[in-house]
Amino acid sequence: MQDCKPCGFFALIPYLEAMTNIPTAHAIIVAAGRGERLGSTTPKQFLTLGRRRVIDWSIEAFARHPAIGRTVIVVSDPESVAIPDRKGLGVAIGGANRTQSVKAGLNALRANDNDIVLIHDAARPGLEAGIIDALIAALPGHAAAVPVLPVVDALKRRGETLTTIARDDLVRVQTPQAFRYGDISRALAGAEDLVDDLAAIEADGGDVALVPGDERLAKITLPGDLERMTAILAPSPITPRIGTGFDVHAFGPGGHVTLCGVEVPHSHGLVGHSDADVAWHALTDAILGAAALGDIGDHFPPSDPQWKGANSEIFLRHALSLVEARGLALATCDLTLICEAPKIRPHRAAMRERTAQVTGLAVSQVSLKATTTERLGFTGRGEGLAAQALAVLSPQS
C-alpha cells in the first residue's frame, strides 16, 4: 500500500470499505409511469408541488442524505424530462411496467451485492431523512426493510353485500423499500409485473423488517391527492390582511372628548353625528379596509338619524362581526392621535384597555400613540383632532 498522506486519505476510502465490508447505500427513483388515474396529461411525478416538481422532492431528499451514494432515476423518455445535472445522479429508461423499470434501474446502478439499495416511488414526495435512517438501520439481519402505517379505517369487501375484513394484522406499505442489491436483483430476475418490489422477497420467504411510516409519504394517485399533499408539504403562507383608517373631527362646545371609549376632560368637545370618537372611527375604517368591506360611512351613513349621538362602540363591534363572518380576526392594531391638546399620555393606558376589552385583544396587542403637527395645520391651530389607525387581520385559528 502507498504512503497514506492526509491529502490522499479520501482516495483510500473505497479500499477501506472493501476491506471492512462496509456497505454503501444507493437509491432508485421509479418515475416512468404515466399516472393516468390522476386525470392529468402530464405524468403526476412531473407536476408542480410547491415551487418544484413532485419528483424533485425525492431527488433532493436522497441528495441531502450523507449515506446515499448514487441515485438512478428511471424515466420513460430521458429526452423529454429535465433531470438535474448533479454528481452521483444517473438516468435509466423504464420498461412497460413497474417491475421492468426497477430492473432497468438496478442494471444502471451496477452496485455491489452487499450494497443497500432504496427503491422509491417518485409520486411519494414526502420523504424525510428519518425514514432513510430507519430503513438502513433496520436492514441488517433481514431480507428487506419497509415503512408501514397502521390501517385505521374499517375495511369492507364489495359484493352483493358488504363484508367486513379484519384489519388487526393489516398494514399500509410505503416506499422507499430497502434491500441488499444482490438479494433484490436475484429476486426480481424472473418477475414480470409485481405490485411492488417487496412482493419478490415475500415470494422467496424473506424476513422483512417493518419501520414506522409517515403520512407525508402518501402516494399521489387520484384527483385531489396533489392538492392534499401540497397542503401538507408546501402550505401557502398565512398572509395577513392590513387596513388603514383616518378620521378627523372639529372641536366644538363641550367639556370633554371621547377617545377609544374614554371621556377625556378638555375645554371643548368634538363635533360629529355620533359621539365623534375619532380614534375608534379610524380603527373601524382600518378593520373594514383590511377586509375590503368599504368604510364606516357605507355601514353607518351620517345622514341616518338613528346614529345621532351613537356610541362608537357599536360601529367597532359591527366591523369586527363582519370580518369574523368571513373567517378573519383582528390580530393587532395601532392607533395614532394627532392633536396639540388634550394631553393623551395620562389617559393612554385606559384607552388601550378599553379598546382591548371591545376588540377581544390583549392589551399588548393594542398600540396607541399621540403626536402633534408642530403647530401646523388645523390640528396645530387647535381646531380639531385627527386619528389614524392600522389594523391587521389574520385567518381565524
Side-chain angles (χ1 to χ4, degrees), residues 27 29 58-65 68 71 118 120 127 132 176:
I29 301 176
S58 298
I59 293 174
E60 291 298 323
F62 285 125
R64 289 193 304 266
H65 199 284
I68 301 300
T71 297
L118 279 69
H120 185 52
L127 180 59
I132 299 174

Side-chain angles (χ1 to χ4, degrees), residues 88-299:
L89 192 61
V91 180
I93 300 176
N97 57 51
R98 189 184 189 285
T99 299
Q100 293 181 16
S101 292
V102 171
K103 289 181 180 180
L106 291 168
N107 290 334
L109 191 58
R110 297 182 182 276
N112 296 321
D113 277 2
N114 199 41
D115 285 356
I116 296 171
V117 56
L118 279 69
I119 304 175
H120 185 52
D121 294 330
R124 296 182 184 270
L127 180 59
E128 299 286 343
I131 293 289
I132 299 174
D133 292 337
L135 291 170
I136 293 175
L139 188 58
H142 300 85
V146 298
V148 299
L149 289 173
V151 176
V152 296
D153 296 316
L155 295 178
K156 306 283 183 177
R157 178 176 287 111
R158 290 185 299 182
E160 293 184 2
T161 61
L162 285 177
T163 304
T164 299
I165 300 173
R167 65 188 180 192
D168 296 345
D169 297 325
L170 300 180
V171 292
R172 297 154 53 197
V173 179
Q174 301 179 310
T175 72
Q177 299 175 356
F179 312 90
R180 296 291 181 192
Y181 179 83
D183 292 342
I184 190 60
S185 296
R186 287 187 290 270
L188 288 176
E192 292 298 328
D193 189 8
L194 302 177
V195 64
D196 66 1
D197 313 300
L198 187 60
I201 299 297
E202 296 168 16
D204 285 344
D207 184 43
V208 180
L210 307 182
V211 306
D214 192 328
E215 290 290 354
R216 291 172 294 183
L217 269 177
K219 189 176 182 180
I220 297 172
T221 303
L222 302 173
D225 286 349
L226 183 63
E227 290 76 12
R228 179 171 55 85
M229 291 309 299
T230 299
I232 293 173
L233 300 177
S236 299
I238 297 176
T239 303
R241 303 187 64 164
I242 300 173
T244 61
F246 181 82
D247 195 34
V248 59
H249 284 284
F251 286 129
H256 72 273
V257 295
T258 301
L259 300 172
C260 294
V262 176
E263 291 189 357
V264 177
H266 188 48
S267 58
H268 295 79
L270 287 172
V271 178
H273 187 62
S274 63
D275 63 1
D277 190 332
V278 66
W280 275 0
H281 289 183
L283 179 57
T284 300
D285 258 356
I287 293 170
L288 293 171
L293 293 174
D295 60 34
I296 192 171
D298 295 328
H299 299 270

